[in-house]
């Protein structure tokens, strides 16, 4: 109480906050310091790099992209010869990465959903087998799995002369899986046309069915009708137009097959390994997504008289999908990033062709690594942008 | 007050010698129960006494292993067709509401009429609005369940069941998860429903509700029916020691 | 008393459930043959298991050869485990001098003792042991493995290899990434815009690219970044890459842990007058770190599997050394045995750790360990 006579209000204006005690100024100083350190560090690296490059006689810049590459690539989706440029090797590698990623995503999704649902089966044996699948394949390094399929399984296949034959049209040997390539002849356009028509009609049928249900309450199996249309109409067109399709069969010439389509063993090994490894993770995501829908939801829906199938379709799946999609997309992203392991078995993906061969031949480490990382970064950013959009659109409305 | 009324002779729900086990644990022991059309039954008892399990057996959310259950002249067995028929005729309200969070209130109510009764959408929505109005919540029809209070959600859940025009309503502790101030709004709706002649089986601890509405009160303990009687006699003159002990515990504070 | 009144004075006894719903028969009826579809599914699965497992067991155990000197010992027609048993010590220790492998053993035994100590809930002095693991042990381990002091001979890192190298990479990767991860996570949650954006960019950058490009970068670009007279050992380059990469993932785990701490804890700490670092160090991080353990273990599993990628830049981890052994002309054609061995080693570690992390998650989830 001795201080009571000192009026606190009279002292306030005299109090000056010391610089270091003002949180705003402190934060500012700290951030300026951080910027200085980062800029200094980066500057040092750039300086060192320039010195090192100069002493090694490497010129910086992206001019090398237009130089002639001079090496062959085993699988090219666009036209490529040894006289193509390094820039083309980048595109070829990128396309091969995209090819194996898309193939992997399709199979991994199908297998993963199957295994995830199987883990929840009320059949004990099925659930245990699915769970063993998940536990075995997600706990073994992917690279090892790729090696296993490539070196232990595919390299053990017979030579082209002793190929395993299937129906005299498919050949499996150590150089790959050979199959006939369809070559559309004149008039095949009709089949494409029929497919387009079938797709449009199916879409209309499904919409008309939904509208009819809204108005009369009656439904008919529109999805089966649509599936029938999409398969049947092109088939009909194909037969009517006189089957205008020829097959280019692979033929053994000398030590190898010519013609037809080939799946290289490198692609097959990578595809199988990526699909199985990622499927194990997807199965877990699917299982926990479905389990996240509370038992009360299923009970309430059944209590209303909905059949098992409708409980799943109208109540469980719409809710599970919200939980499943975000981690699923990040698994897709992992698969794309993991496809870079291609380089270990020589599948010509982006890292193998560009960050491998091209880097070694040109020595343009900075530019090449920068471009490679940029590709993966762009993909990641696109996917995270999609995820954010999806989450905000699908979020359940809460108080 | 007395609830003695003239009841129909039609039996809506009949359980005969129903037994159920969870593994080795005997949860329902020889449960016999006959519910006539329009009858209002309150089931009470300590937790774990099998009261929820009993009513969940009626619409096959739980499977019983011994005994017979007949609901609205349909025998409850493993036949999926029979189970679906019974579920169409029996409405259920849960302790935790179990509204579908991804659908609006209106869609929640219209879902079953559209997909089970094959009602045209416009008509189904009309039915939904009718029952939402009856539970006094029609202004929330376009909101999502997550935006409503517990009491409002439970009223929507009641409306959702009513949209199927059920012959029997099951209530599984409908007010236990609610804040005290919201219990009344839900009980009011249930009382109105009772007054309109709905056949009801309620598992609840709301003894006031039992006294006003019930035709019969059933006390369960350890998986068996210990005592059943008209509310007046049940509360004023319980016969079994267990009933007396239970009542003194929940009424004396 | 009305006719509605019924009273039961005698309680019914507990009866056993009906025969056909219990016991092995009832169990099979419910879990394997509950419907026609289920019966078909069960029989089909049994058939698949039969055609897969019987030949595998026959090959791996019944017809297998276990010991010998060369491939000539493999005569039974099944798996030739001789390939693994003769090279077992190389698979574990790489090219580390044989008379010095006790140093590796000692280093890992020390680590195992400390970790087991931390994992068993009842043992005391957890704090002291944590400090030992994080600060004292790395120095001890360095001198044990590398040598160069205390009368221990230097063993150059190019002689390191096998399972021990895999473990060294994974353990150092995780332990060194943890402090960076904490700082990055705190930075990402900071209110200072420059700090925050710096951390976000760093984290998203590393999380967006495959580890393999990071390893390429570390092996070809790192030497360019430093003055020409400084040289890096190959192992150190790989480690720098792994730690940079891993700290981004660690930051996300830490961020998850920090988000799980209720706001009330921050407010209570501030109300007591603690400043930012004291609030974080005394109140928030000790609670959050505990919640992060499952996430850290999961990242560790991922990293442990990913260390196999170092074979691409020429280090001899477990997979690489087996792969090298398989190209030995004397042992061509035994790749299945080699890969099966590596797979088993990785699987035991990863599966064990994932079970432990699931156990912890359940433990925290049920609330026993939250205080």
């Amino acid at each position: 109480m001795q201080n009571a006579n000192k009026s606190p209000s009279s002292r306030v204006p005299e109090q000056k906050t010391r610089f270091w005690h003002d949180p705003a100024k402190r934060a500012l100083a700290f951030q300026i310091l951080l910027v200085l350190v980062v800029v200094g560090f980066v500057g040092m690296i750039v300086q060192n790099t320039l010195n090192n490059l100069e002493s090694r006689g490497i010129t910086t810049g992206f001019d090398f992209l237009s130089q002639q590459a001079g090496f062959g690539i085993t699988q090219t989706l666009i036209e490529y010869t040894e006289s193509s440029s390094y820039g083309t090797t980048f595109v070829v590698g990128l396309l091969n990465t995209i090819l194996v990623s898309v193939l992997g995503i399709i199979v991994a999704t199908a297998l993963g959903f199957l295994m995830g649902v199987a883990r929840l089966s009320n059949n004990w044996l099925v659930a245990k087998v699915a769970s063993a699948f998940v536990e075995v394949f997600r706990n073994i390094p992917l690279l090892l799995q790729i090696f296993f399929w490539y070196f232990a399984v595919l390299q053990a296949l017979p030579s082209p002369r002793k190929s395993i034959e299937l129906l005299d049209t498919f050949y499996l040997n150590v150089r790959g899986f050979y199959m006939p390539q369809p070559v559309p002849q004149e008039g095949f356009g009709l089949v494409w046309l029929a497919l387009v028509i079938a797709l449009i009609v199916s879409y209309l049928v499904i919409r008309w069915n939904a509208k009819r249900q809204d108005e009369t309450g009656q439904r008919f199996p529109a999805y089966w009708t649509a599936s029938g249309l999409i398969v049947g109409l092109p088939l009909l067109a194909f037969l009517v137009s006189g089957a205008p399709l020829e097959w280019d069969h692979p033929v053994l010439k000398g030590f190898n097959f010519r013609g037809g389509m080939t799946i290289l063993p490198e692609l097959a090994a990578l595809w199988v390994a990526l699909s199985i490894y990622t499927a194990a993770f997807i199965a877990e995501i699917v299982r926990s997504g479905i389990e996240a829908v509370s038992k009360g939801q299923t009970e309430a829906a059944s209590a209303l008289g909905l059949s098992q199938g409708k409980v799943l379709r109208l109540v469980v799946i719409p809710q599970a999908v919200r939980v499943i999609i975000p981690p699923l997309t990040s698994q897709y992203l992992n698969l794309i990033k993991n496809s870079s392991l291609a380089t270990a078995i020589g599948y010509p993906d982006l890292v193998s062709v560009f960050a491998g061969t091209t880097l070694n031949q040109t020595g343009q480490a900075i530019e090449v690594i920068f471009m490679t990382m940029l590709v993966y970064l762009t993909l990641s950013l696109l996917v995270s942008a999609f995820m954010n959009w999806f989450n905000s659109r699908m979020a359940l409305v809460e108080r | 007050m007395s609830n003695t009324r003239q009841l129909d002779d039609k039996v809506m729900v009949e359980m005969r010698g129903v037994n159920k086990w969870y593994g080795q644990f005997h949860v329902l022991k020889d449960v016999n129960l006959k519910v006539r059309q329009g009858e209002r039954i309150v089931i009470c008892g300590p937790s774990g006494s099998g009261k929820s399990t009993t009513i969940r057996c009626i619409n096959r959310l739980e499977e019983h292993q011994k005994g017979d259950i007949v609901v609205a002249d349909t025998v409850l067995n493993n036949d999926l067709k029979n189970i679906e028929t019974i579920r169409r005729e029996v409405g259920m309200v849960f302790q935790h509401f179990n509204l579908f969070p991804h659908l609006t209130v209106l869609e929640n109510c219209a879902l079953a009429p559209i997909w089970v009764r094959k009602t045209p959408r416009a008509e189904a929505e009309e039915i939904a609005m009718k029952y939402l109005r009856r539970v006094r919540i029609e202004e929330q029809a376009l909101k999502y369940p997550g935006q409503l209070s517990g009491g409002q959600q439970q009223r929507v859940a009641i409306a959702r069941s009513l949209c199927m025009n059920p012959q029997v309503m099951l209530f599984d502790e409908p007010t236990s998860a609610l804040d005290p101030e919201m219990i009344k709004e839900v009980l009011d709706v249930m009382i109105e429903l009772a007054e309109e002649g709905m056949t009801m089986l309620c598992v609840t601890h709301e003894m006031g509700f039992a006294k006003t509405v019930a035709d019969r009160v059933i006390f369960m303990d350890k998986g068996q029916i210990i005592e059943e009687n008209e509310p007046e006699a049940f509360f004023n003159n319980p016969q079994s020691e267990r009933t007396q002990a239970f009542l003194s515990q929940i009424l004396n504070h | 008393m009305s006719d509605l009144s019924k009273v039961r004075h005698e309680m019914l006894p507990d009866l056993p459930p009906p025969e056909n719903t219990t016991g092995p028969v009832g169990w099979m009826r419910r879990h394997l043959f509950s419907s026609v579809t289920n019966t078909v599914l069960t029989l089909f699965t049994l058939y698949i298991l039969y055609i897969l497992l019987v030949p595998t067991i026959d090959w791996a155990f019944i017809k297998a050869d276990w010991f010998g000197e060369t491939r000539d010992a493999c005569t039974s027609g099944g798996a030739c485990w001789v390939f693994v048993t003769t090279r077992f010590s190389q698979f574990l220790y790489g090219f580390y001098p044989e008379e010095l492998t006790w140093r590796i053993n000692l280093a890992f035994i020390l680590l195992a003792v400390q970790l087991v100590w931390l994992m068993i809930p009842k043992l005391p002095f957890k704090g002291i042991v944590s400090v030992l693991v994080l600060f004292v042990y790395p120095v001890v381990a360095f001198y044990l493995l590398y040598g160069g002091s205390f009368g221990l001979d230097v063993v150059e890192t190019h002689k390191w290899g096998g399972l021990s190298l895999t473990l060294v990479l994974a353990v150092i990767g995780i332990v060194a990434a943890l402090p960076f991860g904490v700082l990055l996570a705190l930075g990402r949650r900071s209110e200072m815009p420059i700090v925050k954006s710096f951390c976000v960019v760093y984290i998203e950058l590393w999380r967006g690219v495959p580890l393999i490009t990071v390893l390429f970068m570390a092996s070809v670009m790192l030497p360019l970044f430093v003055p020409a007279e400084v040289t890096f050992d190959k192992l150190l380059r790989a480690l720098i890459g792994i730690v940079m990469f891993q700290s981004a993932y660690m930051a996300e785990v830490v961020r998850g842990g920090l988000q799980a701490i209720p706001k009330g804890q921050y407010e209570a700490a501030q109300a007591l007058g603690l400043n930012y670092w004291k609030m974080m160090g005394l109140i928030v991080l000790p609670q959050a770190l505990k919640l992060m353990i499952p996430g850290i273990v999961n990242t560790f599993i991922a990293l442990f599997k990913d260390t196999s990628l170092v074979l691409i830049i020429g280090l001899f981890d477990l997979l690489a050394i087996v792969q090298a052994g398989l190209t030995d002309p004397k042992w061509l054609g035994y790749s299945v045995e080699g890969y099966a061995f590596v797979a088993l080693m990785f699987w035991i570690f990863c599966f064990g750790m994932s079970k432990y992390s699931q156990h912890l998650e359940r433990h925290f989830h049920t609330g026993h360990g939250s205080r």
Side-chain angles (χ1 to χ4, degrees):
Chain A
M1 283 300 111
Q2 297 149 306
N3 295 344
N5 56 349
K6 287 185 187 169
S7 157
S9 60
S10 68
R11 286 188 62 115
V12 169
E14 296 166 30
Q15 273 186 345
K16 274 198 85 177
T17 318
R18 258 182 288 163
F19 172 75
W20 194 238
H21 285 171
D22 182 338
K25 284 178 187 153
R26 185 145 85 165
L28 188 69
F30 182 70
Q31 297 192 69
I32 291 172
L33 192 71
L34 180 76
V35 170
L36 288 179
V37 169
V38 170
V39 167
F41 185 67
V42 171
M44 196 178 79
I45 286 179
V46 169
Q47 191 55 48
N48 282 333
T49 311
L50 290 178
N51 289 343
N52 285 326
L53 289 177
E54 204 181 78
S55 65
R56 291 181 198 186
I58 300 171
T59 46
T60 48
F62 290 93
D63 294 339
F64 73 98
L65 287 176
S66 49
Q67 289 166 16
Q68 187 178 326
F71 62 91
I73 300 177
T74 49
Q75 176 187 301
T76 54
L77 296 181
I78 55 169
E79 202 173 321
Y80 175 87
T81 60
E82 285 185 18
S83 56
S84 300
S85 67
Y86 285 120
T88 321
T89 67
F90 173 78
V91 180
V92 168
L94 179 59
L95 287 177
N96 284 339
T97 291
I98 292 175
L99 174 74
V100 74
S101 303
V102 170
L103 290 175
I105 284 173
I106 294 169
V107 176
T109 309
L111 191 60
F113 270 74
L114 186 72
M115 288 295 163
V117 172
R119 278 198 80 175
L120 293 170
S121 165
N122 55 9
N123 187 315
W124 180 86
L125 191 64
V126 170
K128 282 292 163 217
V129 167
S131 142
F133 171 88
V134 169
E135 292 298 357
V136 165
F137 288 105
R138 73 170 178 175
N139 284 319
I140 294 176
L142 175 61
L143 187 60
L144 174 55
Q145 297 189 35
I146 295 175
F147 278 178
F148 174 80
W149 292 111
Y150 187 64
F151 291 114
V153 178
L154 296 178
Q155 294 291 311
L157 288 171
S159 66
R161 281 172 175 277
K162 295 175 183 160
S163 294
I164 302 167
E165 286 181 22
L166 272 173
L167 309 169
D168 273 341
T169 36
F170 300 95
Y171 300 94
L172 186 64
N173 61 50
V174 68
R175 300 239 179 119
F177 181 62
Y178 293 81
M179 57 196 155
Q181 183 171 21
V183 186
Q185 305 296 306
E186 210 176 328
F188 195 75
L190 193 66
V191 179
W192 289 119
L193 188 69
L195 183 67
V196 171
I197 291 174
L199 284 172
I200 295 172
V201 172
S202 302
Y203 172 74
L204 292 176
V205 163
I206 289 165
R207 271 197 44 183
W208 174 76
N209 187 39
K211 203 163 151 256
R212 177 163 169 266
Q213 186 192 16
D214 281 355
E215 282 162 6
T216 67
Q218 300 304 309
R219 278 184 70 86
F220 72 94
Y223 287 95
W224 288 113
T225 317
S227 315
L229 269 175
I230 290 168
V231 176
L233 211 57
L235 196 67
L236 192 71
F238 181 69
L239 295 174
V240 165
S241 58
L245 188 68
E246 278 180 11
W247 296 90
D248 177 18
H249 288 272
V251 189
L252 186 65
K253 282 197 181 134
F255 293 104
N256 213 344
F257 280 89
R258 293 284 148 83
M261 288 194 300
T262 324
I263 297 178
L264 293 179
E266 291 82 18
L267 173 61
L270 192 63
W271 184 10
V272 171
L274 278 175
S275 304
I276 293 184
Y277 184 73
T278 314
F281 288 90
I282 292 180
E284 273 305 273
I285 291 168
V286 170
R287 179 186 64 98
S288 59
I290 294 176
E291 277 181 347
V293 180
S294 74
K295 210 166 153 245
Q297 292 290 310
T298 327
E299 287 185 350
S302 319
L304 286 169
L306 294 169
S307 65
Q308 250 180 352
K310 282 177 191 147
V311 172
L312 274 180
R313 195 170 97 206
L314 299 171
V315 175
V316 177
I317 290 174
Q319 292 185 54
V321 159
R322 283 158 221 258
V323 186
I324 289 172
I325 296 279
L328 186 66
T329 21
S330 85
Q331 279 307 322
Y332 289 166
L333 207 52
N334 281 346
L335 188 145
I336 297 171
K337 286 191 279 178
N338 283 334
S339 72
S340 59
L341 294 183
T343 181
I345 53 168
Y347 173 76
D349 84 320
L350 180 65
V351 170
S352 168
V353 166
F354 195 62
T357 318
T358 299
L359 190 154
N360 285 338
Q361 289 198 358
T362 61
Q364 305 280 359
I366 309 276
E367 296 83 353
V368 167
I369 299 273
F370 171 78
M371 281 173 73
T372 312
M373 285 187 159
L374 199 66
V375 166
Y376 288 102
L377 264 181
T378 315
L379 285 172
S380 302
L381 290 179
L382 285 178
V383 171
S384 3
F386 164 77
M387 250 155 71
N388 287 340
W389 169 81
F390 179 85
N391 281 342
S392 62
R393 212 180 81 99
M394 294 292 274
L396 292 177
V397 186
E398 302 275 347
R399 248 138 90 94
Chain B
M1 99 185 239
S2 166
N3 299 315
T4 325
R5 298 175 296 133
Q6 206 51 48
L7 288 170
D8 245 302
D9 282 339
K10 185 171 156 52
V11 176
M12 285 304 297
V13 179
E14 182 163 17
M15 302 176 88
R16 275 187 304 247
V18 170
N19 279 275
K20 174 169 176 61
W21 287 263
Y22 285 132
Q24 290 295 315
F25 178 52
H26 200 171
V27 274
L28 290 185
K29 298 177 187 167
D30 190 32
V31 172
N32 290 288
L33 179 65
K34 209 182 255 187
V35 185
R36 282 180 292 169
Q37 188 163 34
E39 200 172 12
R40 281 102 58 162
I41 290 183
V42 165
I43 305 175
C44 59
S47 63
S49 58
K51 44 195 195 321
S52 288
T53 313
T54 306
I55 64 166
R56 286 160 61 88
C57 278
I58 295 175
N59 65 350
R60 203 26 98 97
L61 291 183
E62 305 278 357
E63 193 180 334
H64 63 281
Q65 278 102 30
K66 238 173 95 181
D68 304 311
I69 301 180
V70 182
V71 184
D73 301 326
T74 311
V75 182
L76 184 61
N77 51 19
N78 277 331
D79 189 340
L80 280 175
K81 211 96 231 116
N82 286 8
I83 296 176
E84 277 174 32
T85 317
I86 288 175
R87 283 176 174 169
R88 271 202 291 273
E89 301 305 329
V90 178
M92 185 163 199
V93 176
F94 299 85
Q95 182 179 2
H96 295 289
F97 334 132
N98 294 348
L99 294 179
F100 307 129
H102 61 299
L103 303 176
T104 62
V105 164
L106 187 66
E107 287 166 343
N108 261 280
C109 293
L111 182 80
I114 291 174
W115 290 94
V116 181
R117 292 247 189 261
K118 300 195 189 308
T119 317
R121 180 176 293 273
E123 200 180 311
E125 285 180 353
E126 223 168 84
I127 298 172
M129 282 313 285
K130 181 176 112 191
Y131 286 106
L132 285 173
R133 214 169 295 127
R134 259 183 60 180
V135 299
R136 292 177 292 278
I137 205 155
E138 74 268 29
E139 71 281 0
Q140 314 280 13
L142 296 179
K143 285 195 180 164
Y144 284 88
Q147 297 169 291
L148 306 183
S149 74
Q152 290 172 320
Q153 291 196 40
Q154 194 60 298
R155 283 186 281 149
V156 173
I158 295 174
R160 178 175 71 177
S161 294
L162 293 177
C163 286
M164 284 296 284
N165 201 11
Q167 303 191 45
V168 183
M169 285 286 286
L170 308 174
F171 291 85
D172 188 1
E173 306 202 26
T175 56
S176 316
L178 295 177
D179 292 335
E181 75 271 19
M182 294 171 182
I183 290 179
K184 189 175 176 297
E185 62 184 68
V186 172
L187 287 182
D188 284 348
V189 170
M190 288 169 64
I191 291 169
E192 282 173 33
L193 204 57
E195 281 164 357
E196 285 160 25
M198 177 64 78
T199 313
M200 293 164 73
L201 278 103
C202 311
V203 171
T204 181
H205 294 123
E206 295 297 328
M207 290 305 137
F209 174 78
K211 281 179 192 166
T212 2
V213 177
D215 296 306
R216 207 167 7 138
V217 182
I218 291 176
F219 173 70
M220 287 186 75
D221 193 11
K222 304 236 158 89
Q224 48 208 297
I225 296 179
I226 303 291
E227 182 161 356
E228 53 178 284
N229 211 335
E230 290 177 343
E232 209 166 329
F234 181 86
F235 288 109
N236 297 336
N237 188 18
Q239 301 290 309
S240 147
E241 272 169 43
R242 284 169 188 272
T243 321
Q244 289 160 9
F246 175 74
L247 286 178
S248 73
Q249 257 178 17
I250 63 163
L251 294 177
N252 288 351
H253 57 107
Chain C
M1 204 180 277
S2 81
D3 57 337
L4 287 175
S5 167
K6 277 182 209 151
V7 187
R8 189 195 288 283
H9 290 289
E10 300 262 303
M11 294 294 274
L12 291 167
D14 276 338
L15 296 173
E19 274 296 296
N20 61 356
T21 63
T22 56
V25 177
W27 183 89
M28 278 177 23
R29 186 181 298 216
R30 256 177 303 136
H31 295 286
L32 296 177
F33 305 105
S34 63
S35 66
V36 178
T37 338
N38 256 335
T39 309
V40 172
L41 218 55
T42 304
L43 294 177
F44 178 71
T45 316
L46 278 177
Y47 174 70
I48 297 278
L49 283 181
Y50 174 79
I51 59 170
L52 281 180
L53 286 187
V54 170
T56 309
I57 291 170
D58 191 47
W59 174 82
F61 300 107
I62 297 170
K63 283 201 199 145
D65 292 295
W66 297 84
F67 299 104
E69 294 292 313
T70 60
R71 62 188 298 164
D72 299 331
C74 294
T75 48
S76 317
C80 184
W81 299 118
V82 181
F83 170 68
V84 175
T85 47
T86 51
R87 287 163 182 256
F88 195 67
S89 114
Q90 196 191 54
F91 291 170
L92 292 191
Y93 304 114
F95 308 108
Y96 211 85
E98 209 166 317
E99 66 282 3
L100 297 179
T101 50
W102 63 271
R103 282 161 51 178
I104 298 184
N105 292 342
L106 183 61
F108 283 111
I109 289 170
L110 280 178
L111 180 65
V113 167
Q114 296 173 80
L115 287 181
V116 167
W117 189 288
L118 288 175
M119 271 158 58
I120 296 175
K122 282 184 187 134
L123 295 176
F125 311 124
K126 288 256 154 59
I128 297 174
V129 179
S130 315
V131 171
L132 279 179
V133 170
L134 288 177
F135 299 103
V136 181
Y137 177 75
V139 180
V140 176
F142 174 78
Y143 283 113
L144 271 176
L145 294 176
Y146 186 74
S149 200
F150 305 108
L152 297 169
D153 292 339
V154 171
V155 181
E156 293 291 342
T157 56
H158 63 80
K159 289 186 179 158
W160 300 16
L163 182 63
S164 52
L165 179 67
T166 297
L167 285 167
V168 164
L169 284 168
V171 171
I172 298 183
I174 268 305
V175 172
L178 187 61
F180 291 112
V182 170
L183 285 180
L184 284 167
L186 291 178
R188 189 166 190 171
R189 283 168 66 88
S190 153
E191 279 160 14
M192 295 182 264
I194 296 179
V195 174
K196 185 175 174 170
S197 42
F198 174 76
C199 292
V200 170
V201 167
Y202 182 93
I203 292 171
E204 295 305 328
L205 197 77
W206 291 123
R207 275 161 40 91
V209 297
L211 178 57
I212 213 173
T213 59
V214 177
L215 288 173
F216 265 136
M217 193 186 102
S219 71
V220 301
M221 278 164 80
L222 215 54
L224 294 176
F225 288 163
V226 293
E229 55 279 10
V230 183
T231 49
F232 278 122
D233 173 296
K234 207 193 254 174
L235 177 64
L236 186 60
R237 273 184 275 168
L239 272 173
I240 292 175
I242 288 176
V243 170
M244 286 197 299
F245 180 77
Q246 204 56 32
S247 46
Y249 282 85
M250 200 53 101
E252 288 301 281
V253 173
V254 175
R255 186 162 77 118
L258 290 176
Q259 273 169 346
I261 304 299
K263 224 174 141 200
Q265 293 291 314
Y266 292 86
E267 287 170 354
Q270 280 166 342
L272 286 172
L274 299 180
N275 68 22
Y276 178 81
W277 290 106
K278 283 183 186 143
M279 171 177 81
M280 283 298 170
L282 296 172
I283 310 295
V284 177
L285 281 176
Q287 297 184 54
L289 274 173
K290 209 168 178 182
L291 296 177
M292 285 171 219
I293 294 174
I296 293 177
V297 176
N298 288 340
T299 351
F300 184 75
I301 297 172
L303 176 61
F304 188 72
K305 286 185 291 177
D306 277 352
T307 51
S308 54
L309 269 60
V310 296
L311 87 80
I312 292 166
I313 58 164
L315 287 173
F316 283 96
D317 79 313
L318 179 60
L319 177 57
I321 212 154
V322 172
Q323 180 76 3
L326 292 171
T327 55
D328 181 344
K330 278 184 257 166
W331 288 100
L332 286 180
Y334 290 109
S335 48
V336 179
E337 286 87 343
Y339 294 137
F341 168 73
V342 183
L344 185 70
M345 297 303 270
F346 270 104
W347 189 82
I348 290 172
F349 273 93
C350 295
F351 183 72
M353 287 188 290
S354 77
K355 280 289 154 205
Y356 176 67
S357 118
Q358 281 166 16
H359 160 79
L360 280 180
E361 261 168 272
R362 267 199 303 275
H363 192 58
F364 292 143
H365 201 69
T366 47
H368 296 300
S370 58
R371 286 300 102 190

